[in-house]
């Protein structure tokens, strides 16, 4: 146990760009919705969003809204970031409920980093970043 | 048993001194690389004017901050004509495979005397924060916000999964750092020449838990060059030729976009992505891991050494931790000496090239930490984005 709480990078330190494949993900996030890209032809999930389904090469896209729950697949506890030496981040790979094997690289927040474990149940929350976008991050699931 | 490829050989190696980050100025990358190339020519007993091919890796990048250019080398070194100049894509994963690129040129008749070179300075960009410093793009926008800001941070996530699946302990990472340091102690050019104790390791600053300072490779500067030519021509040069027994680059989609993607199935997630390369090397050579006498494994981060030991079959999948902790990789008393030159963790990080240099010296029998009667050396590239690669050299004859 420690007093340290895992956080996100400050909003003004996080910039994203989009293209036609990825922009819907971020537009949904702006509305507080977590989605994953599902192939509109064969149903295979893929993240990050890309032009072709790697299973069937279709370009048909279905943006499936997810439950917002997930679990820790793996993670690192990061001490310091260039220009922000005292920050503690949990950088995590999260398995997304309802999206088969697709995973999201994100942060786990509102937690003592020493309590994070692989398999820990999570729920999504949204954190502001630059230019009005929102970043889906996760905290330990409540109940 | 197959005798391997043996149609080309390495005939020259050269290097600059190795410098801590910022220490190689006022030399430029062009000067550092040129010095390494000239030293490799001197070693081989050839004129630099005989070079007619360049086989790079890392997209001919000199680290993340600069590029190498064949025309620059030709103009400044006086190389009259090249008939081949090409590079493997991606990064340090292709280090060993660049010798295969040289071989491809020579076997195809496109060149006779091919140089592979890497040079590195870090005044434009520290390697340790390279992902934080990249301009946002649509794909890295799914990585950068997490704060996984450098290659070691990314591999820390792979290491955590390995620990979870197989019970791998930080003690194993410590043993890799400590044994590698031990090998650097007697090397005049090594950056780190003070013994590393287990206590110091465990007191080391945690950068990306589970990895600490000593799990990360050095941030150094310098250049290394290697000259490859046909087996036939190699017979007439200054050194006994070191034959290329097997060499491969590439990789599977499951390793895919690798550690910045994190979509790999478990078999690949907690791995170095080198298993398909290992299979091809063993198929080409007729050898197995048990035939290798010294292994020069790309060691940008300690856990990736452990995972390469598994991928190349020195131990079973998931058994790397126990294998390493047994002392198996020690130069003194180990069953497979690993990174006898002190590796990128303790000698110098020149993006994979010091491993090839050491493999050549081991096969010549001239290495500082020579493995007695060594017949086969393995050098690897990666684990990083594809291609990753591997190279088996045979004893000089």
């Amino acid at each position: 146990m420690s007093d340290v709480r895992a956080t996100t990078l400050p909003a003004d330190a996080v910039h994203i760009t989009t293209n036609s494949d990825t922009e819907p993900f971020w537009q949904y996030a702006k509305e507080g919705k977590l989605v994953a890209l599902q192939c509109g032809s064969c149903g295979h999930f893929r993240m990050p969003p890309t032009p072709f389904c790697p299973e069937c090469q279709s370009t048909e896209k279905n943006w499936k809204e997810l439950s917002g729950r997930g679990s820790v697949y793996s993670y690192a506890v990061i001490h310091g970031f260039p220009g922000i030496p005292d920050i503690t981040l949990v950088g995590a790979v999260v398995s997304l409920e309802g999206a088969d094997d697709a995973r999201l690289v994100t942060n786990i927040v509102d937690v003592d980093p020493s309590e994070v474990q692989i398999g820990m149940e999570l729920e999504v929350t949204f954190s502001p970043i630059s230019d009005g976008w929102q970043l889906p991050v996760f905290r330990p699931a409540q109940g | 048993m197959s005798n391997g490829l043996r149609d080309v050989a390495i005939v020259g190696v050269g290097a600059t001194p190795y410098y801590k980050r910022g220490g190689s100025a006022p030399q430029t990358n062009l000067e550092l690389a040129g010095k390494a190339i000239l030293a490799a020519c001197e070693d081989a007993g050839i004129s630099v004017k005989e070079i007619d091919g360049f086989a790079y890796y890392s997209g001919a990048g000199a680290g993340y901050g600069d590029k190498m250019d064949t025309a620059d080398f030709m103009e400044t070194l006086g190389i009259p004509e090249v008939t081949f100049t090409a590079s493997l894509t991606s990064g340090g994963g292709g280090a060993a495979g660049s010798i295969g690129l040289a071989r491809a040129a020579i076997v195809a008749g496109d060149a006779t005397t091919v140089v592979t070179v890497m040079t590195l300075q870090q005044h434009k960009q520290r390697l340790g924060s390279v992902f934080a410093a990249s301009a946002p793009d649509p794909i890295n926008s799914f990585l950068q916000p997490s704060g996984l800001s450098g290659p070691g941070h990314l591999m820390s996530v792979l290491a955590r999964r390995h620990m979870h699946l197989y019970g791998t302990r930080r003690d194993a990472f410590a043993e890799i750092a400590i044994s590698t340091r031990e090998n650097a102690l007697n090397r005049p050019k090594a950056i780190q020449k003070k013994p590393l104790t287990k206590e110091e390791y465990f007191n080391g600053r945690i950068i990306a838990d589970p990895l600490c300072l000593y799990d990360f490779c050095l941030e150094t500067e310098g250049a290394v060059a290697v000259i490859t030519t046909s087996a036939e021509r190699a017979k007439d040069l200054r050194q006994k030729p070191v034959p290329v027994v097997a060499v491969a680059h590439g990789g599977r989609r499951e390793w895919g976009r690798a550690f910045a993607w994190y979509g790999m199935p478990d078999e690949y997630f907690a791995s170095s992505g080198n298993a398909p390369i290992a299979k091809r090397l063993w198929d080409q050579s007729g050898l197995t891991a048990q035939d290798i006498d010294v292994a020069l494994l790309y060691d940008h981060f300690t856990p990736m050494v452990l995972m390469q030991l598994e991928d190349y079959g020195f131990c079973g999948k998931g058994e790397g931790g126990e294998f390493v902790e047994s002392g198996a990789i020690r130069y003194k008393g180990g069953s497979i000496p690993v990174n006898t030159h002190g590796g990128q963790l303790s000698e110098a990080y020149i993006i994979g090239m010091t491993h090839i240099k050491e493999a050549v010296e081991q096969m010549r029998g001239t290495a500082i930490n020579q493995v007695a009667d060594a017949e086969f050396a393995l050098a690897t590239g990666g684990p990083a984005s594809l291609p990753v690669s591997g190279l088996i050299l045979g004893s000089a004859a």
Side-chain angles (χ1 to χ4, degrees):
Chain A
M1 289 292 289
S2 68
D3 297 334
V4 177
R5 304 296 280 180
T7 181
T8 60
L9 288 170
D12 60 4
V14 179
H15 298 267
I16 62 157
T17 66
T18 66
N19 62 21
S20 54
D21 296 315
T22 69
E23 186 167 350
F25 177 86
W26 296 105
Q27 291 292 359
Y28 280 112
K30 221 179 220 181
E31 299 168 23
K33 293 177 180 171
L34 180 67
V35 298
L37 176 54
Q38 184 176 31
C39 174
S41 179
C42 77
H44 176 78
F45 283 95
R46 63 186 190 273
M47 290 294 292
T50 48
F52 301 98
C53 172
E55 296 300 314
C56 74
Q57 291 74 48
S58 168
T59 57
E60 294 297 315
K61 295 185 179 68
N62 174 33
W63 291 95
K64 185 182 175 190
E65 186 173 351
L66 304 176
S67 67
R69 295 178 71 92
S71 63
V72 179
Y73 185 79
S74 195
Y75 68 100
V77 183
I78 305 161
H79 298 283
F81 186 80
I84 318 172
D86 295 328
I87 200 166
T88 300
L89 303 163
V90 176
V93 179
V94 171
S95 299
L96 305 172
E97 184 179 271
D100 296 339
D101 295 331
R103 298 175 196 140
L104 195 64
V105 184
T106 179
N107 289 118
I108 302 172
V109 299
D110 296 339
V111 66
D112 176 342
S114 68
E115 292 180 354
V116 177
Q117 289 184 0
I118 288 177
M120 177 184 253
E121 296 292 323
L122 305 169
E123 62 188 19
V124 75
T125 181
F126 291 86
S127 176
I129 54 176
S130 295
D131 306 319
W133 296 109
Q134 292 213 93
L135 183 70
V137 297
F138 287 80
R139 63 186 173 208
Q142 307 297 313
Chain B
M1 187 172 91
S2 154
N3 198 31
L5 306 171
R6 295 182 188 271
D7 43 14
V8 302
I10 294 179
V11 293
V13 290
T16 65
Y18 306 134
Y19 306 88
K20 290 183 180 171
R21 180 161 57 86
S24 61
Q27 300 167 94
T28 61
N29 265 319
L30 180 58
E31 183 173 350
L32 292 169
K35 283 175 173 171
I37 292 169
L38 290 171
C41 291
E42 170 69 23
D43 183 53
I46 64 169
S47 162
V48 69
K49 296 182 180 188
E50 295 177 66
I51 290 174
D52 58 7
F54 284 82
Y56 305 97
Y57 59 100
S58 197
Y64 288 86
D66 207 348
K67 298 292 284 182
M68 293 183 284
D69 184 75
T70 297
D72 280 343
F73 289 135
M74 293 173 73
E75 183 58 32
T76 60
L77 294 172
I79 297 168
E81 183 177 2
V82 295
T83 52
F84 182 88
T85 175
S87 177
L88 296 186
T89 52
S90 199
S98 65
I99 305 304
L101 184 61
R103 172 180 177 263
I106 294 162
V107 170
D110 285 340
T112 65
T113 309
V114 180
V115 65
T116 296
V117 59
M118 176 53 75
T119 178
L120 175 61
Q121 290 185 301
Q122 303 192 53
H123 58 279
K124 286 184 186 163
Q125 179 55 52
R126 270 189 63 202
L127 296 185
S129 60
V130 63
F131 297 120
S134 315
D137 69 41
I139 290 297
N140 75 17
S141 290
F142 286 84
L143 173 72
Q144 276 182 328
S146 70
L148 292 163
S149 58
H153 298 69
L154 299 178
M155 299 208 183
S156 172
V157 178
L158 305 186
R160 171 90 62 189
R161 187 79 189 165
H162 198 280
M163 296 168 87
H164 171 77
L165 290 173
Y166 306 117
T168 311
R169 312 189 311 163
R170 284 190 66 212
D171 299 70
F173 307 155
E175 167 63 18
I176 290 164
I178 291 166
S179 62
T180 306
R181 179 67 61 85
E182 179 74 22
N183 296 342
L185 299 181
N186 62 346
R187 298 181 63 83
K189 291 171 70 171
I191 300 290
Q192 293 290 1
K193 284 189 283 199
K194 198 169 132 291
L196 176 65
T197 66
K198 200 159 183 174
E199 189 183 5
E200 280 173 293
Y201 174 88
F202 278 101
N203 286 331
R205 179 168 61 87
I206 299 285
I207 296 174
D209 190 344
L211 301 187
C212 74
L213 179 66
Y214 299 109
D215 295 307
F216 280 55
C217 69
L218 303 167
E219 290 194 324
T220 53
E221 303 185 350
V224 179
V226 173
I227 292 172
T228 306
T229 192
S230 68
E232 193 57 37
R233 179 160 187 263
K235 290 177 192 164
D236 302 326
L237 300 179
R238 178 173 290 159
Q239 305 285 349
K240 285 184 185 170
V242 173
V244 172
V245 173
V247 62
H249 78 264
R252 293 276 309 173
R253 177 191 153 206
E254 289 88 340
W255 179 251
R257 283 181 283 175
F259 46 78
W261 168 53
Y262 289 132
M264 309 85 99
D266 248 336
E267 178 194 356
Y268 277 85
F269 196 99
S271 89
S272 69
N274 273 239
I277 301 301
K279 180 177 187 312
R280 288 170 58 201
L281 293 184
W282 305 142
D283 286 350
Q284 283 177 7
S285 64
L287 302 173
T288 71
Q290 281 60 51
D291 297 307
I292 299 296
D293 300 296
V294 55
L296 294 316
L297 304 180
Y298 198 98
D299 56 338
H300 42 4
F301 306 101
T302 58
M304 309 320 287
V305 173
L306 187 155
M307 295 185 210
Q308 286 175 86
L309 287 163
E310 296 178 357
D311 279 352
Y312 282 93
F314 291 98
C315 59
K317 181 74 181 164
E319 295 170 4
E322 200 178 339
F323 182 73
V324 165
E325 285 192 55
S326 75
I329 66 169
R330 294 252 167 180
Y331 168 55
K332 291 175 185 157
S335 53
I336 176 65
V338 168
N339 294 349
T340 43
H341 59 315
Q344 301 182 138
L345 293 166
S346 281
E347 187 192 47
Y349 175 46
I350 312 293
I351 315 189
M353 283 299 282
T354 62
H355 297 80
I356 298 173
K357 179 171 180 286
E358 173 71 3
V360 170
E361 290 174 4
Q362 287 284 351
M363 292 298 91
R364 286 177 178 173
T366 60
I368 291 174
N369 294 318
Q370 181 66 41
V371 173
D373 305 320
E375 283 185 78
F376 295 105
L378 169 70
T380 67
S385 300
L386 296 180
V388 293
S389 62
L391 168 69
I392 299 173
L393 299 179
S395 51

